[in-house]
Amino acid sequence: MSSNSDQKPSQKPSQKLWGGRFAETTSALVERFSESVSFDARLYRQDIRGSQAHARMLGKVGVLSSADVDAIVSGLDGILADIEAGRFEWKTELEDVHMNIEAALTARIGDAGKRLHTGRSRNDQVATDLRLYVRDVIDELVPLIDRVAGGLLDLAEREADTVMPGFTHLQIAQPVSFGHHMLAWREQILRDRARLLDCRKRMNLLPLGAAALAGTVYPIDRAFVAEQLGFDGVTANSLDTVSDRDFAIEFCFAASLILVHLSRWSEELILWATPMFAFVDLPDRFCTGSSIMPQKKNPDVPELVRGKTGRVVGNLNALLVLMKGQPLAYNRDNQEDKPPLFDTVDTVSLCLQVYAEMTPAITVHRDNCRAAAARGFSTATDLADYLVGKGLPFRDAHHAVGSAVGFAAQKGCDLSELSLDELKGFSPLIGQDVYARITLEGSLNARNHIGATAPAQVRAAIARARQNR
């Protein structure tokens, strides 16, 4: 239970940057409840960049003197250096990253620091900081995705000729190249990359200039600030600008889908690493052991990625629910956008890093993969296609092959192990040439068109990918 001291006032109203209106000091409990600097301090680089661009613009249009601009820019450089060196004292009574930096700037350079906030509000300031932050994050995540995609490409090239069972409903369906399977994973992560870049393009508009909600009376030059900060243009409506968090939601959706894809890969690796499959071996450095069972080698990295996916999807849901009931324009609710956003950034970045390191080091047990493909009548469709090629209608071919599979299952052998006479019992159209079609390699090589699983097509896809990188 909180003590009575929790209810005591903290700073005098006049000491708050917004305190002129207030006669009563803020409760210490309310300060603890409402502060955000404990998590939004990570925006300090973006906040300082935005403030320096704003100051330069105010100097350009004649609102600030050149001396004030120089003092603000150099003072913010000094604060940045202090923060980076761990010398900066963050104060919860100053609420957030913006007021902490502004108060420190004023203490450092005097009245010029008080003039920095001319023509802007914390509403458009935080919107700018967040867009800069998400843009920076995307620029860091894209190279990580490229590393993951590159590792998959290398693994696909090594295993282009490796035969494994392809699955539908987790039942053996048709033989595929292991390399082809890795290229399927790569297609997913490349779509994730494109989504991030699309999100970046859509959000890359400058919010500064919207002020609190209606714009400002000062003769600001928004295009100048946009150019300074690398934005493609400026936002079109001040009310929308300060209340918009679509870009954060869109980023969290893209991040959620990245994790959903990594989680699907994780599920497959977890299965494939079990003795029942034994398709792959994960490097020891990405696994752990058991505290009681000495034989265990647990695939903890894929399991943790699979688990962390739920957190990231939950963060997306939190942002959607946060925004769903808010009227225009800015509301304090939006302070709560940062914890789920920041957690998503940290989680997706770490998961991509571990996959970028782990993927190239996966060992594939080719004989086990091939043996599994041979066990599930995975070339049954090839036999049906063979009969269609001989003139039998597909539905009749499907029935004949189904009967052949039932016979082979009772006999305990694969279709390719049945004698020619046994196969002819299901259709007189079957000849000696059937065996070239119903072997695993024959099945793979027959699917020789763009996007298919033939090793030649896998190598061609890899060559195209390397050429386009």
Side-chain angles (χ1 to χ4, degrees), residues 129-142:
D129 290 0
L130 272 179
R131 287 188 187 228
L132 287 170
Y133 174 78
V134 175
R135 194 179 72 184
D136 290 345
V137 164
I138 290 173
D139 290 344
E140 293 168 3
L141 290 180
V142 167

Side-chain angles (χ1 to χ4, degrees), residues 28 36 61 79 155 266 302 309 374 394:
S36 62
V61 301
I79 290 171
L155 186 55
S266 295
T309 300
F394 180 79

Side-chain angles (χ1 to χ4, degrees), residues 102-117:
E102 184 178 334
L105 180 67
T106 300
R108 185 179 293 239
I109 67 172
D111 284 350
K114 297 178 182 179
R115 298 187 183 102
L116 170 62
H117 208 53

Side-chain angles (χ1 to χ4, degrees), residues 62-363:
V63 172
L64 291 184
S65 69
S66 60
D68 279 351
V69 173
D70 290 344
I72 289 169
V73 171
S74 62
L76 289 171
D77 281 338
I79 290 171
L80 177 62
D82 285 347
I83 295 172
E84 302 271 332
R87 296 190 298 265
F88 189 86
E89 181 185 358
W90 298 101
K91 299 177 180 178
T92 57
E93 63 268 23
L94 291 174
E95 298 179 7
D96 56 34
V97 61
H98 322 295
M99 294 176 71
N100 267 268
I101 289 175
E102 184 178 334
L105 180 67
T106 300
R108 185 179 293 239
I109 67 172
D111 284 350
K114 297 178 182 179
R115 298 187 183 102
L116 170 62
H117 208 53
T118 306
R120 74 176 183 183
S121 161
R122 278 190 292 175
N123 295 354
D124 62 344
Q125 186 179 1
V126 69
T128 301
D129 290 0
L130 272 179
R131 287 188 187 228
L132 287 170
Y133 174 78
V134 175
R135 194 179 72 184
D136 290 345
V137 164
I138 290 173
D139 290 344
E140 293 168 3
L141 290 180
V142 167
L144 274 178
I145 287 177
D146 289 341
R147 285 181 57 201
V148 175
L152 290 171
L153 206 60
D154 292 342
L155 186 55
E157 191 166 40
R158 287 204 316 263
E159 306 299 335
D161 291 309
T162 300
V163 184
M164 68 172 288
F167 297 91
T168 61
H169 310 278
L170 206 55
Q171 301 295 313
I172 292 175
Q174 292 176 321
V176 297
S177 156
F178 194 100
H180 191 59
H181 199 113
M182 295 301 100
L183 291 183
W185 287 4
R186 184 173 179 272
E187 288 297 313
Q188 295 174 0
I189 200 73
L190 290 182
R191 290 195 297 273
D192 293 326
R193 184 185 194 274
R195 262 184 290 271
L196 284 178
L197 293 176
D198 195 42
C199 172
R200 188 191 194 282
K201 181 178 180 181
R202 194 166 13 260
M203 60 164 278
N204 201 34
L205 297 173
L206 173 73
L208 269 180
L213 76 161
T216 178
V217 299
Y218 295 96
I220 60 174
D221 186 342
R222 296 186 71 201
F224 175 82
V225 180
E227 184 179 357
Q228 290 267 302
L229 294 175
F231 286 103
D232 295 329
V234 302
T235 55
N237 182 285
S238 59
L239 285 167
D240 175 63
T241 296
V242 297
S243 60
D244 169 38
R245 292 299 182 269
D246 289 3
F247 63 94
I249 293 170
E250 187 173 356
F251 170 81
C252 286
F253 168 74
S256 295
L257 206 44
I258 290 171
L259 264 293
V260 165
H261 290 147
L262 294 186
S263 183
R264 293 181 69 186
W265 306 359
S266 295
E267 177 67 11
E268 292 194 309
L269 288 175
I270 291 162
L271 288 172
W272 293 353
T274 64
M276 286 74 77
F277 280 77
F279 289 179
V280 300
D281 191 36
L282 301 179
D284 285 357
R285 61 187 180 275
F286 291 95
C287 299
T288 65
S290 165
S291 62
I292 188 172
M293 295 169 283
Q295 83 280 9
K296 293 291 293 297
K297 180 179 175 180
N298 298 325
D300 280 21
V301 165
E303 289 176 353
L304 284 169
V305 169
R306 188 176 59 182
K308 289 175 185 295
T309 300
R311 258 178 54 194
V312 171
V313 173
N315 289 338
L316 170 61
N317 189 60
L319 285 178
L320 289 167
V321 174
L322 174 71
M323 297 304 299
K324 75 171 181 62
Q326 289 193 38
L328 292 175
Y330 180 82
N331 299 279
R332 189 68 182 271
D333 312 44
N334 286 349
Q335 177 175 300
E336 293 300 311
D337 61 1
K338 294 166 197 67
L341 173 63
F342 294 160
D343 183 65
T344 294
V345 168
D346 294 342
T347 304
V348 73
S349 175
L350 195 54
C351 289
L352 284 170
Q353 288 178 57
V354 296
Y355 258 91
E357 293 290 332
M358 182 179 69
T359 301
I362 292 172
T363 300

